[in-house]
Amino acid sequence: MRVAGSFEAPLGERKPIKRRGHKSSTMVMVGLAEGAVREAKERVFAALKNSGFRLPPSRITVNLAPADVRKEGSAYDLPLALGLLAASGAFPAERLEGFFFAGELSLTGELKPVEGVLPLAIRARDEGARGLVLPVANAAEAAVVKGLPVFGAESLGLTVAFLLGEAEIEPATLDIDTLWDKRRDFLLDYADVKGQEHAKRAIEIAAAGGHNLLFIGPPGSGKTMLAQRIPTVLPPLRFEEALEVTKIYSVAGQLPRDQALIVTRPFRSPHHTISDAGLVGGGTYPRPGEVSLSHRGVLFLDELPEFKKHALEVLRQPLEDGMVTISRAAVALTYPADIMLVAAMNPCQCGYLTDDRHPCTCTPQSVQRYRAKLSGPLLDRIDLQVEVPAVPYKDLKETRGSVDSATMRARIAKARSVQAERYGDSGPHINSELSGSALEKHCRLSRPEHDFLEQAVKKLGLSARAYTRVLRIARTIADLDGAETLAVNHLAEAINYRSMDRQGPA
């Protein structure tokens, strides 16, 4: 950002603006600035005045280069005010060299927190900045980035005094180890879930291989309870992954002020009335949607057929590519969306088609229409489709479930380590990413397995994508069993988790 203008007098002393007998300063901004940026001049002028700086009558032109990139948000207030002061001679412009600045100014000159600080801190470190100056409330978030001095200032006056060497601001520090320990703090556990051993096994397979998962069962069978506990068995976030997730939340303005780094895998559960933009991202000024906010975590869609069909169809790209691209006339943005999709649905409109304790009131035609809300291409991208029946009383009377999250997590971690050793640093990282030559190499079948799978494909009418997913699931089952090669029992169990295929076309 460059600030140019003709000033009648240097700002030198910090004196109140004398309004009588003096013309007011005017400011013109060029460079594709949106509303909050254009309004910055009012906040900046008021903050300068109330901080004790005298702004001489002048015409100021602010060039927000590059001109073809949209500028939005209030983070430009602080650098704009400092640029004005330096351009008018209040302090040598050299004092600003090497520093990055961000912050919103209140009318009294206090610094208020802004969004997107973590990506800015990473950029400042990569460019070898001397330091980053921003509001105190954002200091902890930026301090996550090692190798960059971060200075949290409370006001414009304190920032100027710091640059002049008249005041000291201690660099912000953050105890990453303490934050990292919070990864183990889970309030939920699979020990609370009674029965549903088949569903828990499916969850273990899905988490071990990074597969998408669909629960199909009547109301009250525990589908939501099962889904909510999936983050408790997933491998912990690595530091690089935690940075990725935190950057998304920072840009979206959803990072809690008391949480500098997101250290647990996200679990997002949007309502079925959500818009397309809310789900995959977008808007007039594009923002990450629920898919990106679930990056490296779980996106849970309850009552899947009740979501808008178009919203579900736009999920196909992120499920396949692990990213979302949002294109607008002035900008095109790509957000990461490497998620584990977990969905739940009833078997029919009334919900009781598979429940022996309640009569189903749906006709075959209504069941057909209900399931037709989910397209074949979308179902093909959901690897495991699992029936979750109502829990019998003999399971409900048990005091605890048969397996807890810690036991499942240990088995999943072992299977993940097998995959990491097998694939190394190149190609896929988990079984759900297998494709092409890598799929053929790591899922080789002998003659009995080929014959079995050929019969299954013909009988169930599996698509090429569903065939690929059966192989991926079988590879994960074999990893959990400690087997190097795929066997018929692995393929049979994998096909058993394609519930919608076994019931024929919807």
Side-chain angles (χ1 to χ4, degrees):
M1 181 184 72
R2 296 178 181 176
V3 182
S6 59
F7 295 88
E8 297 180 356
L11 295 181
E13 312 90 25
R14 302 182 194 175
K15 298 180 180 179
I17 296 176
K18 297 181 180 180
R19 304 188 73 85
R20 287 187 184 177
H22 288 265
K23 298 178 181 179
S24 60
S25 298
T26 59
M27 181 187 298
V28 177
M29 287 189 182
V30 295
L32 208 59
E34 60 90 28
V37 181
R38 291 195 302 269
E39 294 170 354
K41 60 183 179 181
E42 305 300 335
R43 294 190 296 271
V44 168
F45 284 155
L48 287 170
K49 171 188 174 182
N50 293 318
S51 298
F53 298 101
R54 186 169 70 88
L55 188 65
S58 54
R59 176 177 173 80
I60 306 165
T61 301
V62 179
N63 180 26
L64 300 172
D68 60 340
V69 176
R70 185 183 299 277
K71 290 80 181 178
E72 58 181 275
S74 56
Y76 292 88
D77 290 7
L78 178 59
L80 179 57
L82 295 174
L84 288 174
L85 292 175
S88 65
F91 56 80
E94 292 77 16
R95 299 277 185 173
L96 301 176
E97 290 183 1
F99 281 100
F100 277 56
F101 302 90
E104 177 183 336
L105 286 171
S106 70
L107 299 182
T108 60
E110 295 179 351
L111 286 177
K112 303 173 68 175
V114 294
E115 301 172 0
V117 165
L118 183 57
L120 176 63
I122 295 174
R123 178 66 178 271
R125 180 199 60 189
D126 293 344
E127 294 195 6
R130 291 170 56 195
L132 172 62
V133 182
L134 38 66
V136 172
N138 290 126
E141 176 186 345
V144 169
V145 180
K146 298 301 181 184
L148 173 71
V150 176
F151 303 97
E154 298 175 353
S155 65
L156 173 61
L158 179 60
T159 303
V160 173
F162 168 72
L163 293 173
L164 291 173
E166 299 173 357
E168 290 188 5
I169 301 177
E170 289 296 325
T173 58
L174 184 67
D175 188 352
I176 298 293
D177 293 336
T178 301
L179 286 176
W180 224 234
D181 290 340
K182 294 181 180 180
R183 295 183 302 174
R184 304 179 181 90
D185 297 339
F186 292 112
L187 300 178
L188 304 176
D189 196 288
Y190 274 110
D192 305 328
V193 181
K194 302 171 184 177
Q196 303 298 8
E197 303 306 318
H198 180 63
K200 292 178 186 176
R201 169 67 172 172
I203 290 170
E204 195 169 310
I205 295 169
H211 305 286
N212 300 320
L213 175 63
L214 171 64
F215 292 127
I216 308 166
S221 57
K223 301 186 294 295
T224 302
M225 177 180 282
L226 288 164
Q228 289 174 337
R229 286 158 174 75
I230 290 178
T232 68
V233 300
L234 291 173
L237 283 173
R238 301 190 305 273
F239 181 73
E240 295 77 11
E241 294 175 330
L243 278 180
E244 293 176 6
V245 176
T246 306
K247 281 196 294 184
I248 296 171
Y249 277 73
S250 179
V251 169
Q254 296 201 25
L255 184 66
R257 294 301 177 198
D258 59 347
Q259 188 174 357
L261 184 70
I262 294 178
V263 295
T264 57
R265 295 190 181 271
F267 180 87
R268 306 289 297 189
S269 180
H271 193 262
H272 62 77
T273 57
I274 191 172
S275 66
D276 299 0
L279 185 60
V280 298
T284 305
Y285 303 112
R287 285 285 186 272
E290 291 292 333
V291 173
S292 295
L293 292 171
S294 306
H295 181 59
R296 302 295 185 185
V298 176
L299 175 64
F300 177 52
L301 302 183
D302 201 3
E303 304 295 344
L304 184 64
E306 302 302 326
F307 282 79
K308 298 176 184 177
K309 188 161 187 174
H310 184 266
L312 293 179
E313 292 306 307
V314 295
L315 280 176
R316 286 156 59 175
Q317 184 218 356
L319 289 180
E320 200 72 25
D321 303 334
M323 63 183 66
V324 173
T325 301
I326 303 170
S327 297
R328 295 293 182 267
V331 66
L333 298 174
T334 298
Y335 293 117
D338 186 1
I339 65 170
M340 176 180 174
L341 175 66
V342 180
M345 62 177 287
N346 295 330
C348 62
Q349 189 72 46
C350 76
Y352 296 111
L353 179 64
T354 58
D355 191 347
D356 297 334
R357 300 175 300 180
H358 297 86
C360 175
T361 60
C362 299
T363 64
Q365 292 77 15
S366 66
V367 174
Q368 178 87 2
R369 286 193 300 271
Y370 180 73
R371 295 188 176 181
K373 294 180 179 180
L374 305 179
S375 69
L378 177 63
L379 287 174
D380 278 348
R381 287 170 170 82
I382 301 178
D383 301 356
L384 291 90
Q385 304 157 4
V386 184
E387 293 184 0
V388 183
V391 183
Y393 181 77
K394 65 181 181 64
D395 291 335
L396 289 175
K397 69 179 182 179
E398 298 294 332
T399 56
R400 286 174 63 84
S402 60
V403 62
D404 59 16
S405 292
T407 302
M408 294 175 64
R409 187 165 58 246
R411 293 199 290 251
I412 290 167
K414 184 177 180 180
R416 287 277 185 128
S417 66
V418 169
Q419 296 169 57
E421 183 177 352
R422 177 193 301 132
Y423 303 132
D425 296 330
S426 60
H429 298 92
I430 51 179
N431 290 333
S432 63
E433 298 175 357
L434 281 173
S435 63
S437 59
L439 184 71
E440 295 179 1
K441 176 181 178 181
H442 300 292
C443 297
R444 287 177 179 164
L445 303 177
S446 60
R447 175 53 57 186
E449 286 75 30
H450 269 301
D451 294 341
F452 174 82
L453 193 54
E454 182 179 5
Q455 293 178 13
V457 168
K458 291 180 179 179
K459 184 176 181 180
L460 300 177
L462 298 179
S463 68
R465 185 177 284 112
Y467 163 80
T468 298
R469 274 156 172 71
V470 167
L471 289 179
R472 292 173 179 172
I473 297 168
R475 178 67 269 171
T476 301
I477 295 171
D479 290 341
L480 286 168
D481 290 349
E484 293 185 5
T485 58
L486 303 187
V488 169
N489 63 303
H490 300 142
L491 294 170
E493 185 177 1
I495 293 172
N496 193 43
Y497 292 120
R498 299 291 299 181
S499 175
M500 301 293 279
D501 294 328
R502 290 187 284 108
Q503 294 173 13

